[in-house]
Amino acid sequence: MPTIVGDVLGWIVGLVDTMGYAGLAIVVALENVFPPIPSEVILPLAGFLVGQGQMTFVGAIVASTVGSLVGALVLYWIGYVLGEDRTRALVRRYGRWAMLSEDDLDRAKSWFDNHGREAVFLARLAPLVRSVISIPAGVAKMPLWSFVLYTTLGSGLWNAALIVGGWALGANWQLVEQYQGLFSKVFVGLMALGIGWFVVRRLMNGGPSAQRERERSEASA
C-alpha cells in the first residue's frame, strides 16, 4: 500500500477512534466531497467500534448519515450555484486532486437524467456515482427538501449495511471493502424488488382510485 494512502487511512482510523461520533461524521463528510477517502474503510471501522462497545449502533448510523448529508450538500450547492458549464470547468481544472473526472460527472448526470429525483436515493447504494450524484441534482435545482430526504434515506441504508458488516466481522472489519460491490448490487436489487412489489400490489388492488372508493364505502357502511 503506498505510503500516502496508508497515512490517510491511519489518520482516518485515528480520528474516528479518538473523536468517536464527531470524528465519524467529519470523515464521512469529507469522503462525500473527496471520494478517494473510502467509506468502505470508515464505516466498517465504526461497526467494529460498535461491537467493542465504544459506539452504539444507532449513534454510528446517525453520525455517519449526518456526515453524508453535509458532504452531499456541499456538492449540491456547487452544482446549484455554478451551473453545469462552470462546474465542468472546475472539474477539468481541479478534479484530478479529488480523483474526479468529467466522465464521472457524465455518469452521474446520466443517472439523474434517467431516474429523476429517485437517482439521488439509488446512487447512494452504488459505487462511483454515490458522491457525484449530488452535483447534477444541484445543477438541475432539485428541490432542497427532496434532495435532503432522498440523500438521508439512501445514505442511511448504505451506512447501516457497512456498519453491520464491520460489526459482524469484528477484528477483520477491513474485509468489508472487498465485498462492497456485492453489497451495492444486493441493495439495489432489493430496492428494485421492493418498488416492483409495491407497484404490482397497487395494480392488483385496482390502483389509487379503487383504494379511495373502498375507503368511502367502508366509511359509509
Side-chain angles (χ1 to χ4, degrees), residues 114-151:
N114 291 333
H115 301 287
R117 298 179 183 180
E118 290 77 10
V120 174
F121 172 78
L122 294 173
R124 305 306 299 189
L125 311 175
L128 302 178
V129 294
R130 185 162 48 246
S131 298
V132 190
I133 194 65
S134 302
I135 296 177
V139 169
K141 293 182 167 49
M142 178 179 177
L144 183 59
W145 70 266
S146 57
F147 176 79
V148 169
L149 175 63
Y150 285 122
T151 298

PDB file of all heavy atoms in Angstrom, residues 114-151:
ATOM      1  N   ASN A 114     -31.910   9.766 -16.206  1.00  0.00           N
ATOM      2  CA  ASN A 114     -32.698   8.554 -16.430  1.00  0.00           C
ATOM      3  C   ASN A 114     -33.664   8.237 -15.300  1.00  0.00           C
ATOM      4  O   ASN A 114     -34.726   7.663 -15.534  1.00  0.00           O
ATOM      5  CB  ASN A 114     -31.763   7.352 -16.641  1.00  0.00           C
ATOM      6  CG  ASN A 114     -31.008   7.421 -17.948  1.00  0.00           C
ATOM      7  OD1 ASN A 114     -31.472   8.031 -18.912  1.00  0.00           O
ATOM      8  ND2 ASN A 114     -29.826   6.833 -17.992  1.00  0.00           N
ATOM      9  N   HIS A 115     -33.301   8.587 -14.070  1.00  0.00           N
ATOM     10  CA  HIS A 115     -34.109   8.189 -12.913  1.00  0.00           C
ATOM     11  C   HIS A 115     -34.749   9.346 -12.162  1.00  0.00           C
ATOM     12  O   HIS A 115     -35.534   9.115 -11.234  1.00  0.00           O
ATOM     13  CB  HIS A 115     -33.244   7.383 -11.935  1.00  0.00           C
ATOM     14  CG  HIS A 115     -32.648   6.145 -12.528  1.00  0.00           C
ATOM     15  ND1 HIS A 115     -33.385   5.014 -12.810  1.00  0.00           N
ATOM     16  CD2 HIS A 115     -31.373   5.860 -12.912  1.00  0.00           C
ATOM     17  CE1 HIS A 115     -32.597   4.090 -13.328  1.00  0.00           C
ATOM     18  NE2 HIS A 115     -31.373   4.575 -13.406  1.00  0.00           N
ATOM     19  N   GLY A 116     -34.412  10.578 -12.535  1.00  0.00           N
ATOM     20  CA  GLY A 116     -35.009  11.723 -11.847  1.00  0.00           C
ATOM     21  C   GLY A 116     -34.565  11.820 -10.400  1.00  0.00           C
ATOM     22  O   GLY A 116     -33.444  11.441 -10.045  1.00  0.00           O
ATOM     23  N   ARG A 117     -35.467  12.294  -9.560  1.00  0.00           N
ATOM     24  CA  ARG A 117     -35.117  12.503  -8.152  1.00  0.00           C
ATOM     25  C   ARG A 117     -34.715  11.205  -7.460  1.00  0.00           C
ATOM     26  O   ARG A 117     -33.877  11.216  -6.558  1.00  0.00           O
ATOM     27  CB  ARG A 117     -36.313  13.121  -7.409  1.00  0.00           C
ATOM     28  CG  ARG A 117     -36.720  14.488  -7.931  1.00  0.00           C
ATOM     29  CD  ARG A 117     -37.920  15.014  -7.172  1.00  0.00           C
ATOM     30  NE  ARG A 117     -38.359  16.298  -7.707  1.00  0.00           N
ATOM     31  CZ  ARG A 117     -39.393  16.983  -7.234  1.00  0.00           C
ATOM     32  NH1 ARG A 117     -40.079  16.509  -6.197  1.00  0.00           N
ATOM     33  NH2 ARG A 117     -39.734  18.144  -7.763  1.00  0.00           N
ATOM     34  N   GLU A 118     -35.319  10.085  -7.889  1.00  0.00           N
ATOM     35  CA  GLU A 118     -35.001   8.804  -7.250  1.00  0.00           C
ATOM     36  C   GLU A 118     -33.535   8.425  -7.435  1.00  0.00           C
ATOM     37  O   GLU A 118     -32.998   7.613  -6.686  1.00  0.00           O
ATOM     38  CB  GLU A 118     -35.898   7.692  -7.807  1.00  0.00           C
ATOM     39  CG  GLU A 118     -37.359   7.788  -7.409  1.00  0.00           C
ATOM     40  CD  GLU A 118     -38.130   8.843  -8.179  1.00  0.00           C
ATOM     41  OE1 GLU A 118     -37.574   9.388  -9.166  1.00  0.00           O
ATOM     42  OE2 GLU A 118     -39.282   9.132  -7.813  1.00  0.00           O
ATOM     43  N   ALA A 119     -32.879   9.034  -8.462  1.00  0.00           N
ATOM     44  CA  ALA A 119     -31.462   8.735  -8.693  1.00  0.00           C
ATOM     45  C   ALA A 119     -30.623   9.114  -7.488  1.00  0.00           C
ATOM     46  O   ALA A 119     -29.617   8.461  -7.187  1.00  0.00           O
ATOM     47  CB  ALA A 119     -30.963   9.481  -9.930  1.00  0.00           C
ATOM     48  N   VAL A 120     -31.021  10.163  -6.770  1.00  0.00           N
ATOM     49  CA  VAL A 120     -30.277  10.597  -5.595  1.00  0.00           C
ATOM     50  C   VAL A 120     -30.305   9.518  -4.522  1.00  0.00           C
ATOM     51  O   VAL A 120     -29.322   9.300  -3.812  1.00  0.00           O
ATOM     52  CB  VAL A 120     -30.840  11.922  -5.058  1.00  0.00           C
ATOM     53  CG1 VAL A 120     -30.173  12.322  -3.745  1.00  0.00           C
ATOM     54  CG2 VAL A 120     -30.667  13.032  -6.098  1.00  0.00           C
ATOM     55  N   PHE A 121     -31.450   8.821  -4.427  1.00  0.00           N
ATOM     56  CA  PHE A 121     -31.565   7.719  -3.470  1.00  0.00           C
ATOM     57  C   PHE A 121     -30.794   6.497  -3.946  1.00  0.00           C
ATOM     58  O   PHE A 121     -29.964   5.940  -3.222  1.00  0.00           O
ATOM     59  CB  PHE A 121     -33.035   7.364  -3.271  1.00  0.00           C
ATOM     60  CG  PHE A 121     -33.254   6.115  -2.460  1.00  0.00           C
ATOM     61  CD1 PHE A 121     -33.137   6.135  -1.081  1.00  0.00           C
ATOM     62  CD2 PHE A 121     -33.572   4.913  -3.076  1.00  0.00           C
ATOM     63  CE1 PHE A 121     -33.329   4.985  -0.328  1.00  0.00           C
ATOM     64  CE2 PHE A 121     -33.771   3.762  -2.340  1.00  0.00           C
ATOM     65  CZ  PHE A 121     -33.652   3.798  -0.967  1.00  0.00           C
ATOM     66  N   LEU A 122     -31.039   6.070  -5.187  1.00  0.00           N
ATOM     67  CA  LEU A 122     -30.436   4.848  -5.705  1.00  0.00           C
ATOM     68  C   LEU A 122     -28.918   4.959  -5.809  1.00  0.00           C
ATOM     69  O   LEU A 122     -28.199   3.996  -5.534  1.00  0.00           O
ATOM     70  CB  LEU A 122     -31.027   4.514  -7.079  1.00  0.00           C
ATOM     71  CG  LEU A 122     -32.516   4.137  -7.097  1.00  0.00           C
ATOM     72  CD1 LEU A 122     -33.017   4.007  -8.527  1.00  0.00           C
ATOM     73  CD2 LEU A 122     -32.745   2.841  -6.330  1.00  0.00           C
ATOM     74  N   ALA A 123     -28.424   6.134  -6.194  1.00  0.00           N
ATOM     75  CA  ALA A 123     -26.991   6.299  -6.379  1.00  0.00           C
ATOM     76  C   ALA A 123     -26.220   6.168  -5.078  1.00  0.00           C
ATOM     77  O   ALA A 123     -25.035   5.814  -5.083  1.00  0.00           O
ATOM     78  CB  ALA A 123     -26.686   7.647  -7.024  1.00  0.00           C
ATOM     79  N   ARG A 124     -26.877   6.450  -3.951  1.00  0.00           N
ATOM     80  CA  ARG A 124     -26.181   6.311  -2.670  1.00  0.00           C
ATOM     81  C   ARG A 124     -25.840   4.854  -2.371  1.00  0.00           C
ATOM     82  O   ARG A 124     -25.014   4.565  -1.507  1.00  0.00           O
ATOM     83  CB  ARG A 124     -27.038   6.856  -1.525  1.00  0.00           C
ATOM     84  CG  ARG A 124     -27.515   8.269  -1.687  1.00  0.00           C
ATOM     85  CD  ARG A 124     -26.413   9.263  -1.944  1.00  0.00           C
ATOM     86  NE  ARG A 124     -25.436   9.352  -0.875  1.00  0.00           N
ATOM     87  CZ  ARG A 124     -24.488  10.276  -0.804  1.00  0.00           C
ATOM     88  NH1 ARG A 124     -24.381  11.181  -1.761  1.00  0.00           N
ATOM     89  NH2 ARG A 124     -23.637  10.293   0.200  1.00  0.00           N
ATOM     90  N   LEU A 125     -26.478   3.921  -3.097  1.00  0.00           N
ATOM     91  CA  LEU A 125     -26.242   2.498  -2.896  1.00  0.00           C
ATOM     92  C   LEU A 125     -25.326   1.914  -3.962  1.00  0.00           C
ATOM     93  O   LEU A 125     -25.132   0.702  -4.008  1.00  0.00           O
ATOM     94  CB  LEU A 125     -27.577   1.744  -2.909  1.00  0.00           C
ATOM     95  CG  LEU A 125     -28.687   2.316  -2.015  1.00  0.00           C
ATOM     96  CD1 LEU A 125     -29.975   1.540  -2.212  1.00  0.00           C
ATOM     97  CD2 LEU A 125     -28.263   2.290  -0.560  1.00  0.00           C
ATOM     98  N   ALA A 126     -24.793   2.766  -4.824  1.00  0.00           N
ATOM     99  CA  ALA A 126     -23.984   2.287  -5.944  1.00  0.00           C
ATOM    100  C   ALA A 126     -22.590   2.899  -5.900  1.00  0.00           C
ATOM    101  O   ALA A 126     -22.423   4.051  -5.491  1.00  0.00           O
ATOM    102  CB  ALA A 126     -24.663   2.634  -7.272  1.00  0.00           C
ATOM    103  N   PRO A 127     -21.571   2.148  -6.316  1.00  0.00           N
ATOM    104  CA  PRO A 127     -20.217   2.703  -6.351  1.00  0.00           C
ATOM    105  C   PRO A 127     -20.081   3.754  -7.437  1.00  0.00           C
ATOM    106  O   PRO A 127     -20.905   3.847  -8.342  1.00  0.00           O
ATOM    107  CB  PRO A 127     -19.347   1.476  -6.640  1.00  0.00           C
ATOM    108  CG  PRO A 127     -20.265   0.532  -7.352  1.00  0.00           C
ATOM    109  CD  PRO A 127     -21.632   0.756  -6.761  1.00  0.00           C
ATOM    110  N   LEU A 128     -19.029   4.549  -7.341  1.00  0.00           N
ATOM    111  CA  LEU A 128     -18.613   5.543  -8.335  1.00  0.00           C
ATOM    112  C   LEU A 128     -19.507   6.780  -8.366  1.00  0.00           C
ATOM    113  O   LEU A 128     -19.020   7.902  -8.338  1.00  0.00           O
ATOM    114  CB  LEU A 128     -18.529   4.924  -9.742  1.00  0.00           C
ATOM    115  CG  LEU A 128     -17.583   3.734  -9.892  1.00  0.00           C
ATOM    116  CD1 LEU A 128     -17.619   3.190 -11.305  1.00  0.00           C
ATOM    117  CD2 LEU A 128     -16.167   4.112  -9.510  1.00  0.00           C
ATOM    118  N   VAL A 129     -20.833   6.605  -8.473  1.00  0.00           N
ATOM    119  CA  VAL A 129     -21.711   7.773  -8.591  1.00  0.00           C
ATOM    120  C   VAL A 129     -22.266   8.219  -7.245  1.00  0.00           C
ATOM    121  O   VAL A 129     -22.995   9.201  -7.172  1.00  0.00           O
ATOM    122  CB  VAL A 129     -22.889   7.485  -9.552  1.00  0.00           C
ATOM    123  CG1 VAL A 129     -22.390   7.285 -10.966  1.00  0.00           C
ATOM    124  CG2 VAL A 129     -23.702   6.294  -9.085  1.00  0.00           C
ATOM    125  N   ARG A 130     -21.926   7.501  -6.182  1.00  0.00           N
ATOM    126  CA  ARG A 130     -22.541   7.735  -4.880  1.00  0.00           C
ATOM    127  C   ARG A 130     -22.394   9.188  -4.424  1.00  0.00           C
ATOM    128  O   ARG A 130     -23.339   9.800  -3.939  1.00  0.00           O
ATOM    129  CB  ARG A 130     -21.936   6.775  -3.845  1.00  0.00           C
ATOM    130  CG  ARG A 130     -22.588   6.850  -2.500  1.00  0.00           C
ATOM    131  CD  ARG A 130     -22.297   5.640  -1.654  1.00  0.00           C
ATOM    132  NE  ARG A 130     -20.888   5.274  -1.610  1.00  0.00           N
ATOM    133  CZ  ARG A 130     -20.399   4.155  -2.128  1.00  0.00           C
ATOM    134  NH1 ARG A 130     -21.192   3.304  -2.739  1.00  0.00           N
ATOM    135  NH2 ARG A 130     -19.113   3.885  -2.051  1.00  0.00           N
ATOM    136  N   SER A 131     -21.215   9.752  -4.558  1.00  0.00           N
ATOM    137  CA  SER A 131     -20.986  11.131  -4.128  1.00  0.00           C
ATOM    138  C   SER A 131     -21.326  12.127  -5.226  1.00  0.00           C
ATOM    139  O   SER A 131     -21.941  13.167  -4.960  1.00  0.00           O
ATOM    140  CB  SER A 131     -19.518  11.309  -3.712  1.00  0.00           C
ATOM    141  OG  SER A 131     -19.195  10.488  -2.619  1.00  0.00           O
ATOM    142  N   VAL A 132     -20.944  11.805  -6.466  1.00  0.00           N
ATOM    143  CA  VAL A 132     -21.032  12.772  -7.556  1.00  0.00           C
ATOM    144  C   VAL A 132     -22.470  13.080  -7.947  1.00  0.00           C
ATOM    145  O   VAL A 132     -22.750  14.135  -8.530  1.00  0.00           O
ATOM    146  CB  VAL A 132     -20.238  12.254  -8.780  1.00  0.00           C
ATOM    147  CG1 VAL A 132     -20.110  13.340  -9.841  1.00  0.00           C
ATOM    148  CG2 VAL A 132     -18.863  11.791  -8.354  1.00  0.00           C
ATOM    149  N   ILE A 133     -23.418  12.203  -7.621  1.00  0.00           N
ATOM    150  CA  ILE A 133     -24.820  12.418  -7.997  1.00  0.00           C
ATOM    151  C   ILE A 133     -25.361  13.727  -7.447  1.00  0.00           C
ATOM    152  O   ILE A 133     -26.298  14.312  -7.999  1.00  0.00           O
ATOM    153  CB  ILE A 133     -25.699  11.230  -7.507  1.00  0.00           C
ATOM    154  CG1 ILE A 133     -27.084  11.261  -8.172  1.00  0.00           C
ATOM    155  CG2 ILE A 133     -25.825  11.237  -5.997  1.00  0.00           C
ATOM    156  CD1 ILE A 133     -27.071  11.046  -9.648  1.00  0.00           C
ATOM    157  N   SER A 134     -24.760  14.239  -6.380  1.00  0.00           N
ATOM    158  CA  SER A 134     -25.221  15.486  -5.779  1.00  0.00           C
ATOM    159  C   SER A 134     -25.016  16.668  -6.719  1.00  0.00           C
ATOM    160  O   SER A 134     -25.777  17.641  -6.664  1.00  0.00           O
ATOM    161  CB  SER A 134     -24.481  15.746  -4.467  1.00  0.00           C
ATOM    162  OG  SER A 134     -24.651  14.682  -3.558  1.00  0.00           O
ATOM    163  N   ILE A 135     -24.010  16.605  -7.585  1.00  0.00           N
ATOM    164  CA  ILE A 135     -23.717  17.738  -8.473  1.00  0.00           C
ATOM    165  C   ILE A 135     -24.812  17.933  -9.522  1.00  0.00           C
ATOM    166  O   ILE A 135     -25.353  19.039  -9.645  1.00  0.00           O
ATOM    167  CB  ILE A 135     -22.335  17.568  -9.123  1.00  0.00           C
ATOM    168  CG1 ILE A 135     -21.248  17.596  -8.036  1.00  0.00           C
ATOM    169  CG2 ILE A 135     -22.089  18.664 -10.157  1.00  0.00           C
ATOM    170  CD1 ILE A 135     -19.846  17.361  -8.562  1.00  0.00           C
ATOM    171  N   PRO A 136     -25.183  16.894 -10.311  1.00  0.00           N
ATOM    172  CA  PRO A 136     -26.284  17.114 -11.270  1.00  0.00           C
ATOM    173  C   PRO A 136     -27.603  17.438 -10.585  1.00  0.00           C
ATOM    174  O   PRO A 136     -28.437  18.136 -11.161  1.00  0.00           O
ATOM    175  CB  PRO A 136     -26.359  15.791 -12.041  1.00  0.00           C
ATOM    176  CG  PRO A 136     -25.621  14.800 -11.233  1.00  0.00           C
ATOM    177  CD  PRO A 136     -24.574  15.559 -10.483  1.00  0.00           C
ATOM    178  N   ALA A 137     -27.808  16.949  -9.361  1.00  0.00           N
ATOM    179  CA  ALA A 137     -29.020  17.317  -8.628  1.00  0.00           C
ATOM    180  C   ALA A 137     -29.035  18.812  -8.353  1.00  0.00           C
ATOM    181  O   ALA A 137     -30.074  19.480  -8.473  1.00  0.00           O
ATOM    182  CB  ALA A 137     -29.104  16.537  -7.323  1.00  0.00           C
ATOM    183  N   GLY A 138     -27.876  19.358  -7.999  1.00  0.00           N
ATOM    184  CA  GLY A 138     -27.780  20.795  -7.781  1.00  0.00           C
ATOM    185  C   GLY A 138     -27.917  21.579  -9.071  1.00  0.00           C
ATOM    186  O   GLY A 138     -28.602  22.609  -9.113  1.00  0.00           O
ATOM    187  N   VAL A 139     -27.275  21.098 -10.138  1.00  0.00           N
ATOM    188  CA  VAL A 139     -27.371  21.773 -11.438  1.00  0.00           C
ATOM    189  C   VAL A 139     -28.829  21.839 -11.891  1.00  0.00           C
ATOM    190  O   VAL A 139     -29.291  22.866 -12.413  1.00  0.00           O
ATOM    191  CB  VAL A 139     -26.511  21.044 -12.488  1.00  0.00           C
ATOM    192  CG1 VAL A 139     -26.807  21.563 -13.891  1.00  0.00           C
ATOM    193  CG2 VAL A 139     -25.024  21.205 -12.166  1.00  0.00           C
ATOM    194  N   ALA A 140     -29.571  20.749 -11.681  1.00  0.00           N
ATOM    195  CA  ALA A 140     -30.983  20.693 -12.071  1.00  0.00           C
ATOM    196  C   ALA A 140     -31.886  21.452 -11.104  1.00  0.00           C
ATOM    197  O   ALA A 140     -33.092  21.535 -11.318  1.00  0.00           O
ATOM    198  CB  ALA A 140     -31.432  19.237 -12.169  1.00  0.00           C
ATOM    199  N   LYS A 141     -31.283  21.997 -10.018  1.00  0.00           N
ATOM    200  CA  LYS A 141     -32.039  22.718  -8.996  1.00  0.00           C
ATOM    201  C   LYS A 141     -33.171  21.866  -8.422  1.00  0.00           C
ATOM    202  O   LYS A 141     -34.317  22.309  -8.279  1.00  0.00           O
ATOM    203  CB  LYS A 141     -32.560  24.054  -9.540  1.00  0.00           C
ATOM    204  CG  LYS A 141     -31.405  25.032  -9.823  1.00  0.00           C
ATOM    205  CD  LYS A 141     -31.893  26.360 -10.320  1.00  0.00           C
ATOM    206  CE  LYS A 141     -30.777  27.400 -10.282  1.00  0.00           C
ATOM    207  NZ  LYS A 141     -29.503  26.974 -10.893  1.00  0.00           N
ATOM    208  N   MET A 142     -32.824  20.627  -8.146  1.00  0.00           N
ATOM    209  CA  MET A 142     -33.754  19.734  -7.458  1.00  0.00           C
ATOM    210  C   MET A 142     -34.167  20.378  -6.140  1.00  0.00           C
ATOM    211  O   MET A 142     -33.335  20.950  -5.429  1.00  0.00           O
ATOM    212  CB  MET A 142     -33.051  18.396  -7.189  1.00  0.00           C
ATOM    213  CG  MET A 142     -33.871  17.383  -6.432  1.00  0.00           C
ATOM    214  SD  MET A 142     -32.925  15.837  -6.220  1.00  0.00           S
ATOM    215  CE  MET A 142     -34.081  14.878  -5.233  1.00  0.00           C
ATOM    216  N   PRO A 143     -35.464  20.351  -5.790  1.00  0.00           N
ATOM    217  CA  PRO A 143     -35.902  20.954  -4.527  1.00  0.00           C
ATOM    218  C   PRO A 143     -35.075  20.449  -3.349  1.00  0.00           C
ATOM    219  O   PRO A 143     -34.833  19.245  -3.224  1.00  0.00           O
ATOM    220  CB  PRO A 143     -37.362  20.510  -4.418  1.00  0.00           C
ATOM    221  CG  PRO A 143     -37.794  20.316  -5.841  1.00  0.00           C
ATOM    222  CD  PRO A 143     -36.580  19.788  -6.554  1.00  0.00           C
ATOM    223  N   LEU A 144     -34.671  21.375  -2.511  1.00  0.00           N
ATOM    224  CA  LEU A 144     -33.766  21.025  -1.422  1.00  0.00           C
ATOM    225  C   LEU A 144     -34.366  19.982  -0.487  1.00  0.00           C
ATOM    226  O   LEU A 144     -33.676  19.060  -0.039  1.00  0.00           O
ATOM    227  CB  LEU A 144     -33.387  22.272  -0.629  1.00  0.00           C
ATOM    228  CG  LEU A 144     -32.385  22.081   0.515  1.00  0.00           C
ATOM    229  CD1 LEU A 144     -31.072  21.511  -0.001  1.00  0.00           C
ATOM    230  CD2 LEU A 144     -32.149  23.400   1.239  1.00  0.00           C
ATOM    231  N   TRP A 145     -35.659  20.099  -0.191  1.00  0.00           N
ATOM    232  CA  TRP A 145     -36.279  19.172   0.769  1.00  0.00           C
ATOM    233  C   TRP A 145     -36.231  17.739   0.254  1.00  0.00           C
ATOM    234  O   TRP A 145     -35.955  16.805   1.016  1.00  0.00           O
ATOM    235  CB  TRP A 145     -37.719  19.580   1.066  1.00  0.00           C
ATOM    236  CG  TRP A 145     -38.674  19.370  -0.083  1.00  0.00           C
ATOM    237  CD1 TRP A 145     -39.043  20.270  -1.030  1.00  0.00           C
ATOM    238  CD2 TRP A 145     -39.375  18.157  -0.397  1.00  0.00           C
ATOM    239  NE1 TRP A 145     -39.918  19.706  -1.934  1.00  0.00           N
ATOM    240  CE2 TRP A 145     -40.139  18.415  -1.557  1.00  0.00           C
ATOM    241  CE3 TRP A 145     -39.422  16.888   0.189  1.00  0.00           C
ATOM    242  CZ2 TRP A 145     -40.962  17.444  -2.149  1.00  0.00           C
ATOM    243  CZ3 TRP A 145     -40.227  15.915  -0.401  1.00  0.00           C
ATOM    244  CH2 TRP A 145     -40.990  16.200  -1.555  1.00  0.00           C
ATOM    245  N   SER A 146     -36.469  17.554  -1.059  1.00  0.00           N
ATOM    246  CA  SER A 146     -36.459  16.198  -1.598  1.00  0.00           C
ATOM    247  C   SER A 146     -35.028  15.685  -1.725  1.00  0.00           C
ATOM    248  O   SER A 146     -34.765  14.491  -1.526  1.00  0.00           O
ATOM    249  CB  SER A 146     -37.178  16.129  -2.950  1.00  0.00           C
ATOM    250  OG  SER A 146     -36.607  17.019  -3.888  1.00  0.00           O
ATOM    251  N   PHE A 147     -34.079  16.572  -2.022  1.00  0.00           N
ATOM    252  CA  PHE A 147     -32.677  16.155  -2.063  1.00  0.00           C
ATOM    253  C   PHE A 147     -32.235  15.671  -0.684  1.00  0.00           C
ATOM    254  O   PHE A 147     -31.591  14.629  -0.559  1.00  0.00           O
ATOM    255  CB  PHE A 147     -31.793  17.314  -2.516  1.00  0.00           C
ATOM    256  CG  PHE A 147     -30.319  16.977  -2.498  1.00  0.00           C
ATOM    257  CD1 PHE A 147     -29.752  16.234  -3.519  1.00  0.00           C
ATOM    258  CD2 PHE A 147     -29.512  17.388  -1.440  1.00  0.00           C
ATOM    259  CE1 PHE A 147     -28.405  15.899  -3.494  1.00  0.00           C
ATOM    260  CE2 PHE A 147     -28.167  17.061  -1.406  1.00  0.00           C
ATOM    261  CZ  PHE A 147     -27.618  16.322  -2.439  1.00  0.00           C
ATOM    262  N   VAL A 148     -32.592  16.418   0.342  1.00  0.00           N
ATOM    263  CA  VAL A 148     -32.227  16.036   1.708  1.00  0.00           C
ATOM    264  C   VAL A 148     -32.889  14.711   2.086  1.00  0.00           C
ATOM    265  O   VAL A 148     -32.252  13.831   2.672  1.00  0.00           O
ATOM    266  CB  VAL A 148     -32.620  17.138   2.708  1.00  0.00           C
ATOM    267  CG1 VAL A 148     -32.503  16.647   4.147  1.00  0.00           C
ATOM    268  CG2 VAL A 148     -31.751  18.376   2.501  1.00  0.00           C
ATOM    269  N   LEU A 149     -34.162  14.549   1.733  1.00  0.00           N
ATOM    270  CA  LEU A 149     -34.887  13.323   2.065  1.00  0.00           C
ATOM    271  C   LEU A 149     -34.259  12.104   1.400  1.00  0.00           C
ATOM    272  O   LEU A 149     -33.937  11.111   2.068  1.00  0.00           O
ATOM    273  CB  LEU A 149     -36.348  13.451   1.633  1.00  0.00           C
ATOM    274  CG  LEU A 149     -37.215  12.198   1.809  1.00  0.00           C
ATOM    275  CD1 LEU A 149     -37.321  11.822   3.285  1.00  0.00           C
ATOM    276  CD2 LEU A 149     -38.600  12.410   1.207  1.00  0.00           C
ATOM    277  N   TYR A 150     -34.073  12.159   0.080  1.00  0.00           N
ATOM    278  CA  TYR A 150     -33.530  11.011  -0.645  1.00  0.00           C
ATOM    279  C   TYR A 150     -32.084  10.718  -0.246  1.00  0.00           C
ATOM    280  O   TYR A 150     -31.673   9.551  -0.153  1.00  0.00           O
ATOM    281  CB  TYR A 150     -33.612  11.250  -2.155  1.00  0.00           C
ATOM    282  CG  TYR A 150     -35.002  11.097  -2.720  1.00  0.00           C
ATOM    283  CD1 TYR A 150     -35.616  12.136  -3.398  1.00  0.00           C
ATOM    284  CD2 TYR A 150     -35.701   9.907  -2.570  1.00  0.00           C
ATOM    285  CE1 TYR A 150     -36.896  12.002  -3.921  1.00  0.00           C
ATOM    286  CE2 TYR A 150     -36.977   9.757  -3.093  1.00  0.00           C
ATOM    287  CZ  TYR A 150     -37.579  10.810  -3.768  1.00  0.00           C
ATOM    288  OH  TYR A 150     -38.843  10.671  -4.275  1.00  0.00           O
ATOM    289  N   THR A 151     -31.303  11.765  -0.016  1.00  0.00           N
ATOM    290  CA  THR A 151     -29.913  11.566   0.404  1.00  0.00           C
ATOM    291  C   THR A 151     -29.848  10.910   1.778  1.00  0.00           C
ATOM    292  O   THR A 151     -29.056   9.985   2.008  1.00  0.00           O
ATOM    293  CB  THR A 151     -29.160  12.909   0.433  1.00  0.00           C
ATOM    294  OG1 THR A 151     -29.138  13.470  -0.887  1.00  0.00           O
ATOM    295  CG2 THR A 151     -27.729  12.718   0.914  1.00  0.00           C
TER     296      THR A 151
END
